[in-house]
Amino acid sequence: MTSYHAPVTEMRFALDEIAGLPEIAGLPGYEEATPDLVEAVLEEAGKLSSEILAPLNLSGDLESSVYENGVVRTPSGFKEAYRQYVESGWNALAFDPDYGGQGLPWTLAMAIQEMWNAANMSFALCPLLNQGAVELLQAHGSAWQKDTYLAKMISGEWAGTMNLTEPQAGSDVGAAKTRAVPTDDHYLITGQKIYITYGEHDFTDNIIHMVLARTPEAPAGTKGISLFLVPKFLPGENGAPGPRNDLRCVSIEHKLGIKASPTAVMAYGDNGGAVGYLVGEENRGMEYMFTMMNNARLAVAVQGLAIAERAHQQATAYARERTQSRELGSAEQAPVKIIRHPDVRRMLMTMKSGTEAMRALIYFTAGALDRAKREPDEARRAEQQAMLDVLIPVAKAWATDLGCEIASLGVQVHGGMGFIEETGAAQHYRDARILPIYEGTNGIQALDLLGRKLLRDDGKAVNALICHMKATQEDLNGLKGPAIVSLRGALGEGILTLEAAGDYLLETGGDDMALAAAGATPYLQLFGTVAGGWLLGKACVTAAQALDGGNGPWDPGFLEARLKLGHFYAENIMPRAATYGAQVIRGGASVLALDEALL
Amino acid sequence: MTSYHAPVTEMRFALDEIAGLPEIAGLPGYEEATPDLVEAVLEEAGKLSSEILAPLNLSGDLESSVYENGVVRTPSGFKEAYRQYVESGWNALAFDPDYGGQGLPWTLAMAIQEMWNAANMSFALCPLLNQGAVELLQAHGSAWQKDTYLAKMISGEWAGTMNLTEPQAGSDVGAAKTRAVPTDDHYLITGQKIYITYGEHDFTDNIIHMVLARTPEAPAGTKGISLFLVPKFLPGENGAPGPRNDLRCVSIEHKLGIKASPTAVMAYGDNGGAVGYLVGEENRGMEYMFTMMNNARLAVAVQGLAIAERAHQQATAYARERTQSRELGSAEQAPVKIIRHPDVRRMLMTMKSGTEAMRALIYFTAGALDRAKREPDEARRAEQQAMLDVLIPVAKAWATDLGCEIASLGVQVHGGMGFIEETGAAQHYRDARILPIYEGTNGIQALDLLGRKLLRDDGKAVNALICHMKATQEDLNGLKGPAIVSLRGALGEGILTLEAAGDYLLETGGDDMALAAAGATPYLQLFGTVAGGWLLGKACVTAAQALDGGNGPWDPGFLEARLKLGHFYAENIMPRAATYGAQVIRGGASVLALDEALL
């Protein structure tokens, strides 16, 4: 019941037809991503996911990571699974070939990450955080830093971490107080960091911490933050780990979910200062963080998608197995499998169509990420980057909120069994709940969408994206069938609402930023809902055209199912857009009206 | 941060102005409920809640109930808290005065139950289940059963439980297989029951199980279910517990939440059969269950309200304390308390207005329950009973889903701290998740609303309720101010949508019950959303009139706040009605369209 099978056909469809992986594979540097290789990678990653990682998910949760005297022991089987993962070369998929990476498109890498996370989100967090550290070093590391650390972090021999948060500096990273004092060729780091995912563990011989800290004369706030590489063990002979650095794991948190993943409190410099190497230049740490932020936020969106897929698989399996009550509207008195009950079907359809919409949006966004990096034409790159920047906060927040909603539906499908931990449904519900919080809370994403993405360029990038949505609506105009008609109508209304909400915020944001911000979250939810409908519309265009013209590479039943899922989304999920639109346009003032003392 | 203070003024307002407690106190048998007594009861219960029960909530969760060799040990402090609760007479509040009860109105009792549940839901479950058992005995027990058991269960000296579920019989209670064979003056009971809340514990010297079972010649299904009283200890001398009965607790569940509350697997008759006493007549067990079902479901709705209130109190306290980031739209660079951030305010306002709407709906429903019992005029009683029957599934499902949503917002307000168990926000999120499942899943409630409440009488009772909503809209017509205008508009639209959805279901239900059932859940959510707006509208009518006419007994600031909360609800929660309406009216077919194998 807690098994996982990678939905390779659905993934392949979203990769090829929504994200345009075949085109992306034609971009310079991505030539390796041939259809055969993509197929093989998906199949092999699917195996590792279902055979090695998924079986450890529930046991990992029950056992959880354990802290004792500065040492963290991950749950049984995790270390060995990590070894297999690394030995098969999975860690290097999308990284720089000059340092041992395979240089494959991020679009494909995100699909593979969906598998790791669906199979075992706690496990997948180690590579996810390492990815951020690798990207920082790829972009800003010195030659020595790259030679000494990057190749080992790409292979997975060593693991990287991200050290941003401090007790007084959460969403406001610029409030960090950790100090970095220059000494010889390095800095001495002193301070405490919290919420450090895999800050300490037993997977690797060395752990490479990327730490934000402040030099003695640094300006206040975000402009005075520098980035340091602080290894657990200092460089030794022949690249092996040398002496222990002055840093330690103080404790790990007792959390609601992702319990197999150790969340560490880290202390730097208890004995005079941990040796840290400046990455890039002083005071540019926050700027560097932005180089990895889009990828990191998209990776968290992938986690929302992944947990939804896993919860859906588990709920469907249970609904096919569990017998209870007779069928409504049938003369037959015998009890039936609960999958036959309309209310259970509503839950499963919400889960499935929501998951498909997330996958479409996230893979499409990953495609924009690859194009923004690799399109030969500068104007095309800029266009894709602008689209990517708009989509990132939407994907992160919308997919993680929807992931939580779907995990909760997964519990509900199980009835009483959903509340019993051994069933596994409750674990997805607990694990999913971190996603709207970390890597920038969903409230922060909404403000990012409003301030940096909508207002800053006066709606230009948002409108460019809406033009793509309108193009899909045009495509739907030329086709027939109930799903198409329904999607066309819902998408049309959704786009109008999205435009009206954007206009309202553009108007309001100049005069009264607090009032605009009161509508930021429903605006983001509106955006995600409509974007999901747009891309399921795109999927339905493909499906309808393929059904008309010999199916292409797809099974006709699979294509028909795409139409039915699009239809459900149009009639049952898209109506949410009206609610969000009303909240944005009319609701803001009443958010702010009540006296603070009476809240 | 995890403290709780009973919101006595808000409760009093909802009791007096929404439920009409002063009128209810004028009904025969409720004369004791004078304003002074109500005030004193609320104050005293508030003290027990905040001083004794609330401090045990987090520790109870961490420690949880523990099972060993058939014995259950509740967490530290729980047994002593139960002793204080019983000694102060709280258990007897609404029960039959002939057996030691105080005979106070259920409306008041439900408000008091809100306190117990907000303070410590795991603790409150023991009295909640006992309540169901007491009601069954009050209504259907023999004189001997009442003399021997009822008085002790009313005082709380002994605790009652409800044994309905078996592994193959969850929502379909009629599938129960537990056997009852007549022998002398009793029956011998054999079988296994699961999910028995407080099926075994250390609060009381005896535990009185109400068990559904099937006699040898009983007809199949619900028509062959009988109800038995099966005490843990058989009657001894002078009413003291005598010999141990043939029943035992096999294990307790490892659950997502309400961990301090033991959820038992019970085995009856391992050694030949547990002695059980038939309650009422054979084969009428399911019918008897309906006598307590409205109360039990309303009590679970109260739990949804209670957990929302607790989560809101905790989130607000945190938001007043936590400093992070500068204020939007302000020139000031210094970081501020997060309660000043619009997105945090949106969350807190959603929590607070949602909680108020739930409280209004639940207390109003409790008022209908009292009136349906005590109105001297039979036609009035029938009218109130019909209204009650419509409101019960709405209150249960809408308030518990909203309770989960609010508990989740409570986590989100805390940011990273929300995911750390020691903070307590995560516990509310876990505890709340059982509420949409037990006492009839929310899907079952939706089918009850659709089938038994809407279709069975051709919409008569629903329309009678909608007339009350329209009367409130009329009242709003005579008043002024932005909150009033906004509520009037939103309520008007909501009522139209509710009527249209009801008409659609009445039309569809006759021909195609499965299609109608596909819209049952959004219909219930629509109903709850509009009913919440109606009763907040009623609150705003009172507030506006009082502000115009010297405030009545209320502080003007308190009355202004009611208007602002109503305003927020009208503009930010009522828009959900449009989404639900569209789902009911257009969405059903696509729920059922996808081939089962492809779900």
Side-chain angles (χ1 to χ4, degrees), chain B residues 391-453:
Chain B
L391 286 173
I392 285 291
V394 175
K396 194 279 179 181
W398 181 70
T400 56
D401 279 340
L402 189 52
C404 287
E405 179 185 335
I406 289 174
S408 182
L409 286 172
V411 170
Q412 193 68 18
V413 169
H414 286 78
M417 287 293 284
F419 204 66
I420 306 298
E421 284 289 1
E422 285 77 1
T423 310
Q427 183 189 350
H428 306 319
Y429 178 72
R430 288 188 287 98
D431 286 351
R433 193 61 191 80
I434 189 60
L435 305 176
I437 296 173
Y438 65 22
E439 204 52 48
T441 65
N442 285 1
I444 294 286
Q445 305 299 326
L447 289 177
D448 178 54
L449 176 66
L450 170 66
R452 289 204 193 85
K453 310 302 164 66

Side-chain angles (χ1 to χ4, degrees), chain A residues 47-57 77 80-82 84 120:
Chain A
K47 273 188 211 163
L48 186 75
S49 301
S50 58
E51 291 168 15
I52 306 296
L53 301 181
L56 297 173
N57 193 46
E80 172 59 21
Y82 184 79
Q84 285 184 254
N120 194 324

Side-chain angles (χ1 to χ4, degrees), chain A residues 363-399:
Chain A
Y363 288 13
F364 182 88
T365 305
L369 197 153
D370 278 323
R371 290 184 168 99
K373 278 187 207 288
R374 298 294 176 96
E375 280 282 359
D377 179 59
E378 195 183 324
R380 279 281 287 158
R381 281 203 305 279
E383 214 176 80
Q384 293 288 317
Q385 184 69 44
M387 183 156 71
L388 174 69
D389 289 341
V390 171
L391 286 173
I392 285 291
V394 175
K396 194 279 177 181
W398 180 70

